[in-house]
Amino acid sequence: MEEMQMDSEQMKERYSRQMLFPPIGEAGQRKLMNSSVLIVGMGALGTVLANHMVRAGVGHIRMVDRDYVEKSNLQRQMLYDEQDVINMYPKVIAAEKKLRSVNSMVNLEAIVADVTLGNIDALLKGMDLVLDGTDNFQTRFLLNDACYKAGIPFTYGGAVSSRGMSAIFVPGRTPCLRCFIQTGDSGGETCDTIGVIAPVVDIVASYQAVEAMKLLVGAEDHRRSSLVTFDIWFNRFYELKFGEPLPGCPCCQLKQYPALEWKEGEAAVSLCGRETVQIRGNAELDLPVWQERLKPIAREVTLNPFLLRVELPEGERLVMFPDGRVLVQGTEDIVRAKTLYARYIGH
């Protein structure tokens, strides 16, 4: 990335309190300003992460998310407000608008997309670090495997109910996520099934953010070499120290990277606990054309520059994106979602 230009006085004016912290200082601040990070997922964790990175002065922040702002997000996703819900803004667009007014010196890159095997390499290009703001292990394993293959550090975070987990994984220096979590089976416990309180989200993301800052300023000797788990409601805290990688780990030991292998049948996936199935189409969607096409048969059609929302006669809803993705909302049944997709979109 192109280096951010700012003289010492300008730096002190904005970042004086951070630079007064001896482990950062002016040298560390310049390293932050010349760093690039990728934040995947701009929900609860991602909004806190992005807020910290922008205010800390990280020079280039690439944000990626596939979803749009809904009213249920406002309880814990700190960058969004009721107007974003009314506008049906994609999360990264709403976040970018807020964050540009926080720090205009930071290069913000907002990408409305699902992170997949097809685009992960392009998303990682030029990045120094990946911050996990996702809500599912399918994407986390993809990030883990892609980061270890590319040699890019990866900060993991998860929050549900009043419980949180966090760790930073560094290729060649630490075990990977797969050494601790092999299956990613949540047992049905997601934010959409058992809830989540906002403070635990802030704590998890703050753990991630401070480890990111340590890595970006080069404070390797202070990097935490453990996975922490805690429950802030029932006052429990555990720390699992990193040991040797899991023998036979397919990622960091065998270099097989299973998440980077294409698997048939992944074009449609149920988003756990949300009564939503995401279908990736084979072609881009011209949203104004589809608005006119579906208007005569839909209950309601709403278009903005980023998405088209269609209330179907059957009761479900289609949310269509220009990149070809469609969310079928109101069902978790993949067969049902595919039927509606074929009925109204047909490709």
Side-chain angles (χ1 to χ4, degrees):
M1 63 169 274
E2 184 178 337
E3 289 196 1
M4 184 186 293
Q5 299 300 316
M6 184 181 285
D7 62 34
S8 296
E9 288 305 313
Q10 289 175 312
M11 287 174 57
K12 288 177 183 177
E13 184 178 15
R14 177 176 281 274
Y15 304 113
S16 62
R17 303 307 187 271
Q18 187 163 278
M19 292 166 60
L20 285 169
F21 180 59
I24 294 181
E26 182 172 337
Q29 187 61 50
R30 291 199 180 277
K31 288 180 180 179
L32 290 173
M33 291 162 55
N34 293 311
S35 296
S36 299
V37 302
L38 169 65
I39 302 174
V40 178
M42 285 299 295
L45 291 173
T47 52
V48 180
L49 289 166
N51 185 58
H52 281 309
M53 295 297 101
V54 166
R55 292 181 187 277
V58 173
H60 181 192
I61 300 170
R62 180 177 292 160
M63 306 176 294
V64 188
D65 192 282
R66 64 190 177 187
D67 214 346
Y68 67 101
V69 183
E70 298 177 278
K71 189 171 288 187
S72 63
N73 302 149
L74 303 183
Q75 167 254 346
R76 67 200 178 281
Q77 299 185 18
M78 64 180 298
L79 292 179
Y80 309 132
D81 57 40
E82 292 179 353
Q83 192 59 48
D84 296 323
V85 177
I86 294 169
N87 292 339
M88 296 189 308
Y89 277 154
K91 290 182 178 179
V92 290
I93 301 300
E96 181 187 28
K97 290 177 181 294
K98 301 291 193 310
L99 294 170
R100 286 200 185 283
S101 66
V102 171
N103 192 342
S104 60
M105 294 297 295
V106 170
N107 178 22
L108 289 171
E109 189 179 356
I111 301 174
V112 183
D114 189 24
V115 177
T116 68
L117 181 58
N119 63 12
I120 185 63
D121 289 341
L123 293 172
L124 289 177
K125 188 174 182 180
M127 297 294 106
D128 300 306
L129 174 69
V130 173
L131 293 159
D132 167 27
T134 66
D135 60 1
N136 68 90
F137 275 97
Q138 180 182 14
T139 307
R140 285 188 180 115
F141 285 144
L142 176 63
L143 294 177
N144 179 78
D145 291 9
C147 284
Y148 268 74
K149 185 175 182 180
I152 299 172
F154 163 59
T155 69
Y156 159 65
V160 65
S161 185
S162 56
R163 305 191 302 271
M165 299 179 69
S166 175
I168 182 166
F169 300 109
V170 183
R173 304 288 295 276
T174 75
C176 74
L177 177 64
R178 288 185 183 273
C179 292
F180 296 90
I181 303 171
Q182 282 82 53
T183 65
D185 181 5
S186 67
E189 294 190 336
T190 71
C191 296
D192 297 282
T193 59
I194 64 169
V196 63
I197 56 174
V200 75
V201 170
D202 294 349
I203 294 169
V204 170
S206 294
Y207 267 114
Q208 292 178 267
V210 74
E211 292 304 318
M213 292 174 70
K214 291 177 193 177
L215 187 139
L216 295 174
V217 303
E220 286 289 309
D221 51 338
H222 293 294
R223 175 170 44 81
R224 178 167 46 80
S225 296
S226 63
L227 185 148
V228 296
T229 68
F230 46 86
D231 189 316
I232 62 171
W233 194 269
F234 297 102
N235 306 309
R236 299 168 185 149
F237 183 93
Y238 308 95
E239 186 172 16
L240 180 60
K241 294 288 186 182
F242 285 171
E244 293 299 314
L246 185 70
C249 173
C251 176
C252 63
Q253 296 304 294
L254 302 182
K255 315 296 184 188
Q256 294 174 343
Y257 313 114
L260 303 183
E261 298 174 1
W262 186 83
K263 299 178 181 65
E264 192 168 358
E266 291 186 343
V269 59
S270 178
L271 305 185
C272 184
R274 293 187 51 194
E275 281 199 316
T276 298
V277 174
Q278 176 179 266
I279 298 177
R280 300 189 197 116
N282 296 319
E284 295 182 352
L285 296 171
D286 188 327
L287 299 186
V289 169
W290 280 98
Q291 178 188 29
E292 295 304 313
R293 187 176 298 174
L294 296 174
K295 190 183 296 184
I297 56 177
R299 290 180 176 177
E300 183 180 348
V301 179
T302 310
L303 175 68
N304 70 23
F306 312 105
L307 59 86
L308 176 68
R309 186 167 64 184
V310 182
E311 304 285 348
L312 299 177
E314 293 87 346
E316 288 90 352
R317 175 192 301 148
L318 302 180
V319 182
M320 305 168 65
F321 297 87
D323 64 2
R325 287 184 304 115
V326 177
L327 303 181
V328 183
Q329 298 185 322
T331 182
E332 294 180 349
D333 185 336
I334 290 179
V335 174
R336 169 70 174 170
K338 285 183 174 179
T339 298
L340 293 171
Y341 180 89
R343 183 178 301 163
Y344 291 101
I345 298 174
H347 62 73

